[in-house]
Amino acid sequence: MQSPTVSELLSQNTSLLEVEIKGWVRTFRANRFIALNDGSTINNIQCVVDFENFDEALLKRVTTGAAIHVKGELVESQGKGQKVEIQVKHLEVLGDSDPETYPIQPKKHSFEFLRENAHLRTRTNTFSAVMRLRSSLSFAIHKYFNENGFYYMHAPIITGSDAEGAGEMFKVSSLDNKNLPLTEDGKVDYTKDFFGKETNLTVSGQLEAETYAMSLGKVYTFGPTFRAENSNTSRHLAEFWMIEPEVAFMDLAGNMDLAEDFMKSVITHVLEHNREDLEFLEKRLLDEEKVKPQAERSDMSLIEKLNFVTENNFKRVSYTEAIDILRNSKPNKKKKFKYLVEEWGMDLQSEHERFLVEKHFKCPVILFDYPADIKAFYMRLNDDGKTVRAMDILFPGIGEIVGGAQREERLDILKQRMAAIDIPEEDLWWYMDLRKYGTAVHSGFGLGFERLVMFATGMGNIRDVIPFPRTPQNAEF
Amino acid sequence: MQSPTVSELLSQNTSLLEVEIKGWVRTFRANRFIALNDGSTINNIQCVVDFENFDEALLKRVTTGAAIHVKGELVESQGKGQKVEIQVKHLEVLGDSDPETYPIQPKKHSFEFLRENAHLRTRTNTFSAVMRLRSSLSFAIHKYFNENGFYYMHAPIITGSDAEGAGEMFKVSSLDNKNLPLTEDGKVDYTKDFFGKETNLTVSGQLEAETYAMSLGKVYTFGPTFRAENSNTSRHLAEFWMIEPEVAFMDLAGNMDLAEDFMKSVITHVLEHNREDLEFLEKRLLDEEKVKPQAERSDMSLIEKLNFVTENNFKRVSYTEAIDILRNSKPNKKKKFKYLVEEWGMDLQSEHERFLVEKHFKCPVILFDYPADIKAFYMRLNDDGKTVRAMDILFPGIGEIVGGAQREERLDILKQRMAAIDIPEEDLWWYMDLRKYGTAVHSGFGLGFERLVMFATGMGNIRDVIPFPRTPQNAEF
């Protein structure tokens, strides 16, 4: 039988219960108070040791990071900060942790240092809270789609199709680089490779998800996607997870309804299920920002930001209206924007998106009907011939978090748009088939999962919201 | 507003309701009866057209695969096979489907043909049922772990660690193959590659999951894994999804309890939620097997096999006992086994596993304590020095479906086992850290998701249970 978890014990009201528990020592204070954690909650359970009754050599082994097994009585705590504690009767050290070498000491470590110890960093409060939230958000996503009649679809990771143009791709091969097979004219002979042709890691599952939407109706993907871009920033990963719902017979308005309802639902889920972790992370963020100049601090606390999303209607504004607002805005006229807003057709920057959300509308914003030239070929062209039925959802502090569109369902227009950017029709024969046979209006969107985790945890660097981040020059573990 | 789905309409009892629906035509019979499907269920809704009231040219466009929009009255059906049907008042063709070229005609297509049209094959009953079941199984897995206090962990896909030795790996690179950077001694200079070293696609997330178990307690992965093995069989994919739970402070007995409870739970979920799809697939399998000789048919129907798992206790038998049973079995003595069972230490074949489950014990079987030599280095060595605390779960029809173990938690023994197969310690410094700092008993198992989908759907080829299969010479779509 498994022992109860710390989380279960802490929610016990009954005192004087014989209990046992296994976990890792966070701190051992005054040779008497062990703070024990097992990952089930941000909180530790206090184990009180009557040191007179225990072997001194044993107590010396109760160090930060050691795994221990405790038996005793669960009693009401005399001290502050916890309702119950364990009066230890039996103590066993399962695994020692040498305090001279153990990297995770009970002090503040830099996030850089913890990234180098990503295999141990969930032994800290911050990273255990972040990863519990990541897990809870994942489940909320699956739950939402399941309850709303969507089917989960695993889009392929290795792909022979590189037509989406969303970014630089990683090559996948099983050829021996030291002895590449060559064709007669000296090129690499990919017919000898595993798949008989050049293959890459996917940048998006959307096109494949469309094939499933056009038969199963409502589907979504939730899987890893990749970009081989040399972006060494706090917002980019080479490997990240993406959620991409796709729905047949749904237009852009329905897409906005879906995205708003979905985002509110998953954030409500963590507000309801992860309160303690959120409160810890909220406090962490406040502490972090205390040392910053006023201008760089958040206007809202972490939980206020989450409520801002769940409690407000998302304002729907066309790109053209947004450009007008931004052009005439105070920061634009006073040249406070780094990128000044002048011409219709420009791509918006995070500073513009945040201005719209945080200063102008004071609610989450959905921009729609973007210029065709700055959006992807598969987005449905409007009758004006220059805008497409795209939408981006903008959140406080972070700017764009969701990007979606109604898809171009008309074969002739799709072909024109593919031709304009030189995508050969034979590369996307199957995608065109969807427009040849029973085509219909359909729409979907993409959400970068790590952007959502950053938003929900208040973490500032994307490397700190995924277990083992992959970035230029780094694929450790 | 979105129209209701076919599934919702079919469960309506009220008749004489004004309804509208969008979907794809499966068949159009006698210029009167449209069988309409939208992916929400295996069943079609019958739309009855009074052809005298409709334009002949419009009705000509109602062909298999066409997307249509129907408005009318939901009435009790006069015909057999359905309770309700739609008396069509308004009919619009949203997207035509040329019957001369549309590949998915209302007739039996071979699975080979449908694999070549994987972007359209979910427009058939069989593949829509399979993919709905795949989605339902996925959700059941997340639900089980969420309800039991596990955290979902995304193990890295691109990995710099190739120490697990589970199989051939795909290389991931962003180097230009036509112009590889070389070191002074003529080798490929991977320090110039994206990650600054050689990287591969993961074969398992287990080792990384262990790092999370040793801090968060109970975790699981559910993600894609890869093998670059040239196995062109009905049981192998180059890209497949794997589920790997890992639990701290859990021994092999707890691992068996967990795996049995888990497998029963997810199969019960589909028995409860996917009855119509299962009944369709059960019938499909019976039809398929009718033409086979008696000896090749299944002893149990599809749903009987699922009940066999949920209703029986899994028999726990040591490898050594199993070898004894097999050695003395009738098929072994009569030399009916392809691989005769003679010596302790041999790896079991599917025929042996199936004999134990289907003929000898007549229930699912968990074999444990395997010879160390045929199992992985990270499995905990027993005191006999020759077996490890491994376990495999065997199912009817399929043999091994789950493989797991208690992990070697003792640093000195782990080092010896790594040395014995030449894994350099510096490659797994982080894995060894788990044994250096707060080590404890822990266990976990792996389930190949597609093996589970095959078992639950009765499909015989693994390429037919994943949306876009990746196999040697094939990465289409």
Side-chain angles (χ1 to χ4, degrees), chain A residues 67-311:
Chain A
I68 64 172
H69 181 188
V70 160
K71 293 182 190 174
E73 276 178 17
L74 191 71
V75 297
E76 273 183 51
S77 176
Q78 307 302 311
K80 286 185 293 187
Q82 63 272 328
K83 272 195 233 161
V84 295
E85 62 190 21
I86 298 174
Q87 207 67 48
V88 179
K89 288 183 175 171
H90 168 91
L91 170 69
E92 184 191 354
V93 175
L94 303 170
D96 293 280
S97 175
D98 181 354
E100 298 297 317
T101 60
Y102 185 51
I104 312 293
Q105 287 303 314
K107 59 159 198 165
K108 213 169 164 51
H109 294 287
S110 75
F111 287 164
E112 291 76 13
F113 172 81
L114 290 172
R115 261 170 240 146
E116 287 161 17
N117 289 282
H119 62 308
L120 300 175
R121 66 179 174 170
T122 37
R123 298 181 180 201
T124 67
N125 283 331
T126 297
F127 285 93
S128 70
V130 167
M131 294 307 165
R132 276 190 297 268
L133 269 159
R134 184 180 166 104
S135 172
S136 190
L137 286 164
S138 295
F139 186 69
I141 289 164
H142 286 298
K143 185 162 165 279
Y144 178 86
F145 286 125
N146 184 66
E147 285 173 353
N148 286 281
F150 285 71
Y151 302 112
Y152 182 27
M153 179 236 182
H154 290 117
I157 311 299
I158 298 173
T159 172
S161 127
D162 61 354
E164 222 237 318
E168 287 295 309
M169 298 175 99
F170 286 105
K171 289 191 258 301
V172 174
S173 172
S174 68
L175 291 178
D176 179 2
N177 262 342
K178 283 133 205 144
N179 190 13
L180 288 171
L182 299 179
T183 57
E184 277 182 15
D185 52 350
K187 291 182 181 158
V188 178
D189 184 1
Y190 285 104
T191 64
K192 299 281 194 326
D193 206 347
F194 190 92
F195 296 108
K197 62 175 177 177
E198 283 197 73
T199 51
N200 302 296
L201 289 179
T202 184
V203 293
S204 158
Q206 177 203 314
L207 305 194
E208 288 89 355
E210 283 185 54
T211 71
Y212 267 46
M214 295 308 280
S215 48
L216 296 176
K218 298 198 264 187
V219 302
Y220 71 106
T221 72
F222 187 168
T225 50
F226 306 84
R227 297 278 190 289
E229 271 149 33
N230 205 345
S231 305
N232 228 327
T233 80
S234 62
R235 291 161 58 97
H236 291 90
L237 289 171
E239 172 181 316
F240 56 100
W241 286 66
M242 199 132 83
I243 296 107
E244 299 182 288
E246 194 71 32
V247 181
F249 310 118
M250 184 175 78
D251 62 12
L252 189 64
N255 204 17
M256 293 188 211
D257 292 343
L258 173 67
E260 178 171 347
D261 190 50
F262 165 74
M263 293 301 285
K264 285 178 168 170
S265 166
V266 299
I267 289 173
T268 300
H269 181 93
V270 295
L271 282 167
E272 286 171 0
H273 291 82
N274 299 74
R275 202 73 199 186
E276 289 174 336
D277 286 327
L278 286 174
E279 283 165 1
F280 175 85
L281 290 168
E282 174 165 86
K283 194 171 166 305
R284 186 207 71 79
L285 188 59
L286 283 172
D287 289 346
E288 184 184 88
E289 292 191 341
K290 262 183 202 154
V291 297
K292 289 187 181 173
Q294 184 68 43
E296 286 173 33
R297 295 182 206 168
S298 312
D299 288 342
M300 291 178 269
S301 78
L302 176 61
I303 294 176
E304 281 168 355
K305 244 189 276 182
L306 302 184
N307 287 332
F308 180 86
V309 168
T310 60
E311 291 169 2

Side-chain angles (χ1 to χ4, degrees), chain B residues 216-246:
Chain B
L216 296 175
K218 298 199 263 186
V219 302
Y220 71 106
T221 72
F222 187 169
T225 49
F226 305 84
R227 297 278 190 286
E229 270 149 34
N230 206 345
S231 306
N232 229 327
T233 80
S234 62
R235 291 161 56 98
H236 291 90
L237 289 170
E239 172 182 316
F240 56 100
W241 286 65
M242 197 130 85
I243 296 106
E244 298 181 290
E246 194 71 33

